[in-house]
Structures are given as C-alpha cells and as structure tokens.
Amino acid sequence: PGIILSSLCNCAKTANSSNIWFNICPIGVTKKVVPGEQPFFMDALNRITLHTFSANRLQNPFPGHLSSVYWPSILLCMYKIIFTLAFLILCCYAIAQKKQPLQAVTLGIEWQFITNHFQQGDQHAATIKLTNHDKKLSLPQTGWVIYFNAVHDIVKKDAGYGLEISRVYGDLFQIRPAAAFQGLHPQTSISLDYISGSRMVNYTEAPSGFYLVWDSSPATAHPISNLTILPPADIQKFKKNDRDQSGNITPAMVYEQNKSSIDIPGSTLPKVFPTPVSYKEAEGSFSLNALSTISADAVFEHEAAYLVSELTTVLGAVKVIRDDRRATIRLHYDQTQKAEAYTLTVSSAGITIAAADATGIFYGIQSLKCLFPLSAWKGTVAEIAIPLATITDAPRFTYRGLHIDVARNFQSKAQILRMLNWMAMYKLNKLHFHFSDDEGWRIEIPGLPELTTVGVKRGHTGDSKKELSPTYGSGGPVNLLQSSYYTREDYIAIVKFARGRHIEVIPEIETPGHARAAIKAMQARYNRLSGKGDSIEAVRYLLHDINDQSVYQSVQYYHDNVMCVGLPSVYAFVEKVTDELIAMHKEAGSPLTTIHMGGDEVPGGVWEKSPVCQTVLAHHPVYKNASELWLYYWGKVNDIAKARGLYVSGWEEMGMRPTELDNRKTMIVNPAFANADFHTYVWNNVIGFGSEDLPYRLANGGYKVILCPVSNLYFDLAYQQDFYEPGYYWGGFVDVDKPFYFIPFDYYKNTKVDRNGDPVDPSVFTGKDRLTAYGRQNIMGIQGHLWSENITSPQLLEYQAFPKILGLAERAWAADPEWATEKDKDRSASLYARAWNVFVNVLGKRELTKLAWYQGGARFRIPTVGAIVDKGVVFANIQLPGLQIRYTTDGSEPGNTSAIYSAPVTTKGIITFRAFDDKGRGGRSIKVENR
C-alpha cells in the first residue's frame, strides 16, 4: 500500500503536465493494454487501470459552469480521492487475507473401525481422525460445522476434544464444536471416538460425504475430499459376539466352502441356461455363416429383426427372406404351444423355432444363442457350428423379475438398457423400476416440474426448499450425477426398448411413506404458486397437511416423509402421475397393466395430530384411529387403479392391517382386500425376526404374491463377511448360492443360515404357516432386488448383480428340481450337491465367459480364492471352476501373466492368490503365509 500511495502522489504532482485519468473496472473485466495505456493496479476485488489522454481530451466537460483554468486543481482533488479509495481497498483486502478461513481441501478425515460387540452389546466403536494439513491456518474454536452421512446411528454424542456428533435427519450427521473446543492448530490431528448402535461388517458402512460449512456463509458447502477408510487394526475385533470364531471370513473358510465345488469337464455340461424342460442332443452340427438367412411368419417380424442384429454381431451379416423353404432359420407360428413356450429344433436341414406367441419365439432365440460356441461371444467369426438338438421349453413362473432402485443412487439410461439386455438373455420378463423414494424422484412428469428440480437435486440445505439434503455420501455441493433424472423421452425409450425384449416395465410410485422427495417437491410448487397469489392451484397436488403436528420417525430417521392420506390433493397427485405414466407407456407401445404404489415402512405416529385426518375420521366412523386410515388410503388407490383398467401392486404391508395382540400393536393379513387382485411384493422374511412365514400367510390369505425375500434375493447385500466386500448385511449375506437354493414353495427346507451367517435354529420355523395348495395358486413368481443405498456406480451395480442373477434366473424359469421335493433328507442333500456342482461349472465355464464379452463385458464379481496351509504345502481352490487362479511368491499383486496355480505350492513365505476371468480381469487377492 505504501508503494501504491507513493506512486499515486507522484502521478498527482505531474497531473497538470501529463493529464492523467483513472478508471476503476469491476472484478473479472480484462482490459487489453494499448499504446498510451499503462496497467496500474489489480487485486482480487478491483482492477484499476491508468489511462493517458492528450490535453485536448481534458477540455471543460461542464460548459458554462466551470472554467478550464480550475481543471488541474479539480483533477488533483480527484486523484487524491481515488488513491485514498485505492489505499482503503488494499487495506480491506489485506485484512480479508488475514481473516481468510481454513480451506476444506487442507483437512483430512481418516475413519477406522475399532471393535464390534462394544461393551458386550450389539454396537460398534470407531474413530474419526481429523487432521489439519495447513501450514499456517487453524480450524477455529467456533464458527463451523462438518457434515457427513452415516448408515448407523451414533449413540455417543460427546466425541472428545470439545466436539459433539449428532444426527441432523435421515443419514446426515454433524460434528460441531462445543465450548470446550480449543481449535485445531496447523499440521495437527485429533481422534474422535464414537459408538454406533449396531454391528458393522465392511467399509460400505463407514461414514462418507464429509463437507465443511462456515457459520458466516451457511449456504455454502466445502467438500472434504481427503477421506481414508481403514480396516480394524485387529481383525478379530470384527467378531459379532463371544461365540463368533472369526470376525472376518478367512481364506481357509472360503477353501472349506469351495470344497463342494468339483470340476466337471466342459464338454459334458448342459448347453442351455436356464435349464429347459427338455433337451435332447444328437450327433453332428449345423453351421451358420454370413450367407445364412432367416424367414419368419408375419407375427414374428420384430423377433426376426432382433435375431438378425444378434447374428450380425457374430457373423458379420445375415438377412431375412420370404421363402420359408430356402431359409436357414425359420420362426414358425404354432398355435398348439402355451404362452411363452417354444420348441427349438436344430437338424441337418436347418433350424426351426416354433411358438404360439412372439415371446416364445424370443426365448427360443435366447436358447439358440446358448448353443453358440464360446468363441462366437468374443467377436466376429466366419462360421459357427450349432449342435443338433431338440429343445422343448416353457417357464415355471409367469413373473420373473428384477428390481432396480434408481432413486437412492442414479443409473443412466444407457446402463438400464444394458441391464435389460442381460435380463432378456436370462429370460427375465419384469423390470420393477423403483424411480421414487425419500432421496429422489427420477422421472419427468409434465406439469409438475418441481419433481425433477427440487425432488431430484441433492445439496447442502437447511430447509429442503430448493433441494434435498445430502444422503448416501452425495456431499454438500449439488451432486450432478445424483441430481439426474429420466426425461419423458428417456422413459419412453426405456419402456420401448424393454418391450422389444419382451420385458414389462413396472414403475413404482412410493406412497404414502418413503415419499419425502415428492412431498418436498410439491411443497416447493405450493410456495411458488402461493407467491403468485394462485392459492387454488397451489394446493392441487399438495402432499402434506401444513397444520399437522404429528410426531414420527421412519426407519431411515425422517420425520417428514409420509403423505397425508386425508388430503384430496394426495389422490389428485396419484391420479396425475398415473395418467402421465399410462400415456408414456401407450406412446412406447407397451400398455401399462399395473403401477407399484409402494406402501413400505410407514412408521407409527403418522396422521395422529393432523386436523385433515381427524376430519376424515369424523366423517368415516368405521375407522377407529389414525393408523386405520391405512385402509382408507388403499381403498381409494384401488379405486383410482380400477377406473383406469389397472390392478394394484405394492409392498407386503399393503395386504396387512394394524391391530393389537396382548396389548401390543401388530400387523395381520387384512381380509378387506383379499381376492381383490392385489399383487403384494413380500420381502420381509428376515430369518430370526419373526416374520419368516409372511409370504405364505399372504398367499394363503388370498393375495397375489411375488416372492422377493431378503434372505435369498436381495442382491445389494454383501456376498460374504469381509471388510473389503461391498454391500449391506442387515438381512444376511447373499452369495450366488442363496438364490440358487431358494425353494419358492418351501424355502424353510433349504434355509441354512440366519442373518448373521450362523447355522439356522430349526425352532425358528416352529408354528410358522406353510404354503397351502390354495396359496400356491397365488404365487405369481420371484424377483431379485438391487437396492441402491450403497450402489453408487454402474460398475458396482453389475458387481452386485452378477453372478447372483443367474441363480434367480434358474429358479424363476426351470422346473422345481428333484432335490427340492425329495422328502428323504440325506438323498435331498446328495441331489442338491450334484445340482450345485453342475450349476457352478456352467457359470464358471460358460456363462461368465458370455458375460465377460457380451455388450463389452459385465463387471461381475470374481470370487476370492480359498486357500489353506497344511504341513508346509499351500492348497487353493475357487467357487466357480473355470476361472483361472494365479499367484505370486514375492509379495507382488498377481497379474494375468503370473504363475497359474495347477498344483499345491511348497514355496515358503507369503503366497498371494488371485482369480481371473476369461478376459483377463482379476478379482480381489488374498494372502496366506507358508512357514
């Protein structure tokens, strides 16, 4: 500032002779320096440029008022004023620089698990190490908050050092300084200990999405990107209780599990998957090449085009002709076939697929693709030999579904199309599209723009008026990926693409609970229109009672996520969204038959202090209390659906009603909607929680049931208990065996472990309802689930989905296996072991090769190697024969050129094993020590 002041004074002294003028430009303005101009001063606030002018430019600018003789004095005064202002600006800037707060990028977070079973309870202890890497600035004693997301509740508020950890709402927590906090000085660290109210099993459950907010700028979030997740220092601390032998799965435990997997020669394995009703193979083959042709009856033109596309990928070119007699492949209409059934015949004269409908033809094409040699999946070939065979086939269940949650964490349209292609390959026919939940609404609805602005955007907010709060680690600044949605055109394209693969898209509107995104969006709409004075339109789609004083908390810790079922505007909203979805499906050429209306996890306490709901109760005395408005809601939703030719689908609670038993609130099967074509999706059979028989109770009670039990078909759950294995575990661990050994009509029989992975106690099923003959008629099918709380990328989606989906496909399509109905326990176990070996060999030697190459390759999970050390010799094995085991002995990570394991290893020291797929992609490595 002193130099600047001196320069200004010198300029002022010569003002009369050089005629100098000052111009102050705002921030961000860049002025090109030209002859006669001299850059004078620039800082982060202003750019001051000195301009020189000729004497004639300084003639009297105010004619008739001031004589030009006064101008030198006037200019001198102006210069003094200007350089005084410049000096003040510089001083302010210097002060601002001194007060500049610590940058969030210089903070580091290191999270480490300490122990499960803390203080002999079902809780864990962990630590958050906070480090200030800045060399000069401190994190001050007050004036800031650090926010983050966490799966588990934190039961210890005082974290030490005068800092407190507490929940804000949902999964959002805060670290806030209390009076005792002394600040965090440069290049120092503090470790905050906390206790969470449940067990932890892997890194997925660690806190995430840390960001800093200054009190002086409460609307601005600063990400803390330097985050490290560390495993426990002692892996034994992962033990869930005193009876637990090992808190973390070991290579030896994996080896023991894999011992039942026996290598079967690939030439003897079944060629068609899922298992068809009948497969008969003869000697010889029929060849297809680029000159091959296809003919199709008129009703199968779309399927012929699909087959052309698939064969062109393999052979380079094929074409459709009209002459059935000269065609290489014939798609033939056969009215004697059942729905979705087909017959595939490969003879020396050609290939014929016969079916009574296009769906059957399509599935025949999928089975034909199964007969391709594996080399054909890897790229274009000149010719492929198809074995001579006759296949007669039909699905076991009419509903063979996959649920994908895009509300919690978004997946792009392109990724959904990839998943649809794989679903088609394995003859799955229903995509349950979970596009709305507390954390996001993902489909554009014309006329309700707030759904895909406010209802989809996540960022730091104190009131959720313009965006939703950060969740599942999305962070403080608005997360662009997790603020994405499908336009109307996107959704129509998805439905149309699915229709072309004979997959029905079933959209889900989460109501009346799990509806926070929609509620906040419609509140924003209300605020916008109220501000314009349009009070009538403002309340048209309002989803909450403004005067409701009810107190409740959802399972996900929200207190504002349930629609007010007493409001007429709620039903107007349901009608509006339903009508728009109907229109989109119609435009896609795939008429809507049902909408999944949610109905999951509505907490106690809702509607109790809502004036609107109390008015409804007064006018409908058949409902005794607020909780019974649940029945009122579903009656009205059913009316909306029926008026549009739809049937109602929803979660299991839709078929339940509240009551009291032994002075305790409980839920029983509701007779009011039995036999009303309600389709209930039943997930809650958590082994040991008491509702193990819920699917069967609903089916026996007259409800249509889609089996999607968490115990076997929640694919987002972790494969096994390992710190580095992603996924939740609250319903148990789900590896590829769980969906495979699921017996739809009697899953008690093959339930082997409880949610903790411990052998199941048979007494769990004592007194539980079994499925009756009448109930069997109400089992529509089965569905696998990919919830996305912890699925934050397309890579992780595919990792969790494959190869688990193949077990689902087998159980949904193939007939009941012999081991499932065999009454002799030992014989059943023997039959199962044989079937399991065939299954894992088919996966490892055939299906994973297809998955590795089709559509560029699925990023499926490659299982970890099992290994034991016995008398100085290291033995290894793998769950899925056909995958290649490689190893190193020098401590390095095995690559796809490392030594292949073909015999036990005798080398001493650390042996590192890793499995690889047909494409050379490796799984996670394991280490054993051979002493």
Side-chain angles (χ1 to χ4, degrees):
I3 296 171
I4 300 297
L5 180 60
S6 174
S7 299
L8 284 169
C9 289
N10 290 334
C11 289
K13 291 176 182 177
T14 59
N16 286 336
S17 59
S18 61
N19 297 323
I20 296 172
W21 189 262
F22 290 99
N23 180 40
I24 300 179
C25 302
I27 259 188
V29 175
T30 303
K31 291 185 68 65
K32 182 178 180 182
V33 179
V34 296
E37 289 190 325
Q38 176 186 359
F40 181 68
F41 170 73
M42 188 198 324
D43 65 23
L45 298 175
N46 295 292
R47 182 177 289 108
I48 303 175
T49 308
L50 184 66
H51 296 265
T52 2
F53 296 89
S54 60
N56 60 2
R57 294 279 302 275
L58 292 176
Q59 294 176 356
N60 187 0
F62 307 109
H65 293 276
L66 293 173
S67 171
S68 59
V69 73
Y70 297 107
W71 274 100
S73 299
I74 294 172
L75 283 175
L76 182 59
C77 292
M78 291 177 67
Y79 299 152
K80 290 181 179 179
I81 293 171
I82 290 169
F83 72 66
T84 302
L85 288 173
F87 177 73
L88 292 173
I89 290 170
L90 280 168
C91 291
C92 291
Y93 176 68
I95 293 170
Q97 286 290 87
K98 289 180 180 179
K99 291 187 176 181
Q100 181 182 7
L102 181 73
Q103 298 297 300
V105 294
T106 65
L107 291 176
I109 300 287
E110 185 178 276
W111 177 90
Q112 185 168 32
F113 173 88
I114 298 174
T115 184
N116 275 319
H117 196 45
F118 183 71
Q119 295 178 342
Q120 308 302 307
D122 185 19
Q123 56 187 8
H124 73 266
T127 184
I128 295 175
K129 182 178 179 181
L130 179 60
T131 300
N132 178 7
H133 294 287
D134 197 279
K135 296 181 179 180
K136 296 181 179 180
L137 299 176
S138 296
L139 182 66
Q141 294 175 273
T142 60
W144 57 269
V145 182
I146 290 175
Y147 294 91
F148 63 94
N149 298 115
V151 175
H152 300 292
D153 195 16
I154 295 177
V155 298
K156 179 187 175 185
K157 185 176 180 180
D158 181 6
Y161 295 94
L163 297 176
E164 296 179 346
I165 303 178
S166 61
R167 185 186 295 275
V168 182
Y169 48 73
D171 69 340
L172 185 66
F173 288 79
Q174 62 181 4
I175 300 173
R176 185 179 289 275
F181 182 60
Q182 297 300 307
L184 181 60
H185 300 301
Q187 297 187 306
T188 59
S189 300
I190 54 176
S191 292
L192 312 178
D193 297 327
Y194 70 88
I195 303 167
S196 276
S198 63
R199 174 190 172 205
M200 174 172 277
V201 300
N202 60 36
Y203 77 91
T204 296
E205 299 175 306
S208 59
F210 287 83
Y211 65 94
L212 173 70
V213 175
W214 296 102
D215 290 359
S216 58
S217 183
T220 304
H222 306 273
I224 302 175
S225 55
N226 185 2
L227 173 63
T228 304
I229 304 297
L230 296 176
D234 179 3
I235 203 67
Q236 292 296 312
K237 297 296 186 180
F238 246 29
K239 290 182 179 180
K240 55 185 174 289
N241 52 46
D242 293 333
R243 301 183 305 279
D244 193 358
Q245 295 300 309
S246 175
N248 207 53
I249 197 165
T250 64
M253 294 166 68
V254 174
Y255 184 89
E256 185 66 26
Q257 293 173 357
N258 293 344
K259 283 172 64 177
S260 61
S261 296
I262 300 172
D263 194 290
I264 300 174
S267 60
T268 66
L269 293 172
K271 293 182 174 64
V272 176
F273 183 87
T275 305
V277 172
S278 172
Y279 178 87
K280 296 178 181 179
E281 189 171 316
E283 290 291 330
S285 63
F286 180 82
S287 292
L288 294 174
N289 54 46
L291 298 177
S292 297
T293 55
I294 301 166
S295 70
D297 290 342
V299 291
F300 303 140
E301 288 182 357
H302 291 295
E303 287 61 44
Y306 172 82
L307 180 55
V308 167
S309 174
E310 294 294 282
L311 285 175
T312 299
T313 302
V314 176
L315 298 170
V318 291
K319 63 180 180 178
V320 175
I321 63 172
R322 296 299 178 187
D323 189 344
D324 186 66
R325 292 171 298 177
R326 296 176 54 224
T328 309
I329 303 173
R330 293 172 289 277
L331 306 183
H332 176 60
Y333 174 72
D334 179 4
Q335 63 179 356
T336 66
Q337 299 272 2
K338 295 181 180 179
E340 297 188 284
Y342 69 91
T343 299
L344 168 61
T345 305
V346 184
S347 69
S348 57
I351 299 171
T352 300
I353 304 174
D357 56 26
T359 305
I361 292 291
F362 184 79
Y363 294 143
I365 292 172
Q366 301 308 318
S367 292
L368 175 61
K369 288 165 58 180
C370 287
L371 299 177
F372 291 178
L374 292 178
S375 59
W377 293 86
K378 301 179 183 181
T380 303
V381 295
E383 186 176 74
I384 56 175
I386 310 296
L388 304 185
T390 301
I391 303 169
T392 303
D393 203 6
R396 180 185 187 189
F397 290 111
T398 58
Y399 192 108
R400 306 177 301 279
L402 181 66
H403 164 283
I404 300 181
D405 170 16
V406 294
R408 271 64 176 274
N409 279 299
F410 186 71
Q411 297 290 336
S412 69
K413 182 182 78 171
Q415 182 62 27
I416 297 300
L417 300 188
R418 275 169 66 85
M419 296 301 294
L420 286 167
N421 268 332
W422 281 313
M423 288 176 65
M425 192 162 93
Y426 293 113
K427 303 183 175 83
L428 301 177
N429 68 344
K430 311 287 183 183
L431 172 63
H432 178 174
F433 207 32
H434 187 91
F435 73 82
S436 69
D437 213 295
D438 291 324
E439 297 83 10
W441 179 286
R442 303 294 187 177
I443 294 179
E444 177 187 21
I445 301 298
L448 301 178
E450 282 82 3
L451 285 174
T452 45
T453 53
V454 175
V456 78
K457 193 189 303 181
R458 291 186 199 163
H460 176 68
T461 175
D463 54 19
S464 296
K465 288 183 177 180
K466 293 184 179 179
E467 61 259 339
L468 304 177
S469 57
T471 187
Y472 302 123
S474 61
V478 172
N479 186 305
L480 296 180
L481 175 62
Q482 296 314 326
S483 298
S484 299
Y485 63 92
Y486 308 104
T487 65
R488 187 177 187 276
E489 291 72 23
D490 287 338
Y491 183 68
I492 291 170
I494 289 170
V495 174
K496 187 178 294 186
F497 189 87
R499 178 180 62 82
R501 283 141 187 80
H502 297 271
I503 296 171
E504 178 186 3
V505 177
I506 299 173
E508 179 180 353
I509 312 170
E510 267 284 19
T511 69
H514 277 280
R516 190 172 189 267
I519 290 169
K520 295 302 179 184
M522 293 302 95
Q523 182 178 352
R525 179 182 184 275
Y526 169 84
N527 293 339
R528 173 174 62 85
L529 294 172
S530 294
K532 294 180 179 180
D534 193 348
S535 58
I536 294 176
E537 185 60 29
V539 300
R540 185 182 299 277
Y541 300 117
L542 194 63
L543 300 179
H544 72 291
D545 178 0
I546 296 173
N547 298 310
D548 190 1
Q549 298 298 313
S550 301
V551 177
Y552 65 87
Q553 181 172 274
S554 74
V555 175
Q556 286 76 23
Y557 296 94
Y558 291 113
H559 51 78
D560 54 358
N561 75 330
V562 181
M563 297 177 179
C564 175
V565 298
L567 282 171
S569 52
V570 165
Y571 305 100
F573 176 83
V574 171
E575 287 180 319
K576 168 68 174 173
V577 176
T578 297
D579 289 341
E580 294 294 345
L581 288 171
I582 288 172
M584 285 186 264
H585 277 252
K586 182 178 180 180
E587 190 170 332
S590 181
L592 200 60
T593 61
T594 186
I595 295 178
H596 195 292
M597 293 291 185
D600 194 30
E601 297 181 328
V602 172
V606 297
W607 312 319
E608 290 180 353
K609 296 182 180 180
S610 162
V612 170
C613 289
Q614 292 304 315
T615 300
V616 172
L617 288 172
H619 285 86
H620 297 82
V622 65
Y623 305 113
K624 304 301 181 185
N625 52 57
S627 65
E628 291 192 357
L629 290 176
W630 179 254
L631 311 177
Y632 170 81
Y633 175 75
W634 286 109
K636 292 184 75 67
V637 167
N638 191 34
D639 291 341
I640 291 170
K642 291 293 185 286
R644 289 157 174 78
L646 309 178
Y647 63 84
V648 176
S649 294
W651 299 112
E652 61 211 33
E653 291 97 326
M654 181 182 66
M656 311 293 286
R657 68 167 296 154
T659 187
E660 286 192 5
L661 178 64
D662 298 330
N663 296 320
R664 290 190 307 109
K665 290 184 178 180
T666 187
M667 298 286 282
I668 61 171
V669 176
N670 177 23
F673 300 121
N675 304 306
D677 204 24
F678 271 35
H679 285 52
T680 56
Y681 290 61
V682 191
W683 62 267
N684 186 10
N685 78 325
V686 182
I687 308 304
F689 274 21
S691 294
E692 292 83 0
D693 61 350
L694 183 56
Y696 296 158
R697 281 193 284 139
L698 280 162
N700 293 341
Y703 286 89
K704 303 297 184 187
V705 169
I706 289 85
L707 294 167
C708 43
V710 60
S711 60
N712 296 74
L713 298 176
Y714 266 38
F715 298 160
D716 57 291
L717 298 180
Y719 281 86
Q720 59 189 20
Q721 183 176 333
D722 187 297
F723 181 80
Y724 295 103
E725 192 66 54
Y728 290 159
Y729 93 101
W730 63 270
F733 301 97
V734 176
D735 201 342
V736 68
D737 63 327
K738 288 283 188 75
F740 178 77
Y741 71 57
F742 178 68
I743 304 175
F745 292 160
D746 187 11
Y747 59 78
Y748 303 165
K749 181 177 181 178
N750 252 31
T751 300
K752 300 178 180 180
V753 294
D754 62 17
R755 65 185 288 265
N756 292 318
D758 297 328
V760 70
D761 184 345
S763 65
V764 164
F765 301 110
T766 301
K768 300 298 180 183
D769 286 11
R770 305 188 71 83
L771 190 64
T772 64
Y774 169 71
R776 281 192 177 209
Q777 301 173 25
N778 289 321
I779 302 294
M780 298 291 99
I782 67 176
Q783 177 171 280
H785 281 238
L786 285 164
W787 294 101
S788 71
E789 293 98 325
N790 60 78
I791 297 178
T792 55
S793 68
Q795 292 87 350
L796 195 50
L797 180 76
E798 293 173 16
Y799 181 96
Q800 296 292 65
F802 300 106
K804 295 177 187 179
I805 280 178
L806 279 72
L808 166 71
E810 179 72 0
R811 289 286 75 80
W813 181 273
D816 220 359
E818 190 178 357
W819 52 264
T821 55
E822 173 59 51
K823 296 186 182 301
D824 182 271
K825 186 176 180 181
D826 292 337
R827 176 168 165 74
S828 176
S830 176
L831 290 168
Y832 173 79
R834 187 185 308 167
W836 169 252
N837 271 299
V838 171
F839 176 68
V840 294
N841 275 270
V842 166
L843 262 59
K845 296 180 178 179
R846 295 187 60 83
E847 298 309 314
L848 293 190
T849 296
K850 298 176 189 177
L851 286 169
W853 294 93
Y854 189 58
Q855 300 193 100
R859 291 151 290 195
F860 52 82
R861 178 182 185 263
I862 298 171
T864 54
V865 176
I868 59 167
V869 180
D870 184 18
K871 298 178 182 179
V873 180
V874 183
F875 298 83
N877 61 15
I878 193 72
Q879 180 191 52
L880 305 177
L883 295 176
Q884 203 168 60
I885 301 174
R886 294 181 180 270
Y887 70 97
T888 58
T889 59
D890 60 0
S892 63
E893 181 78 354
N896 56 19
T897 59
S898 299
I900 296 175
Y901 175 83
S902 57
V905 179
T906 57
T907 306
K908 302 300 181 183
I910 301 296
I911 316 297
T912 308
F913 291 99
R914 190 180 180 200
F916 290 82
D917 70 4
D918 185 71
K919 211 171 183 178
R921 190 173 59 92
R924 199 170 69 250
S925 62
I926 60 100
K927 297 179 184 294
V928 294
E929 184 176 5
N930 186 17
R931 298 179 180 179

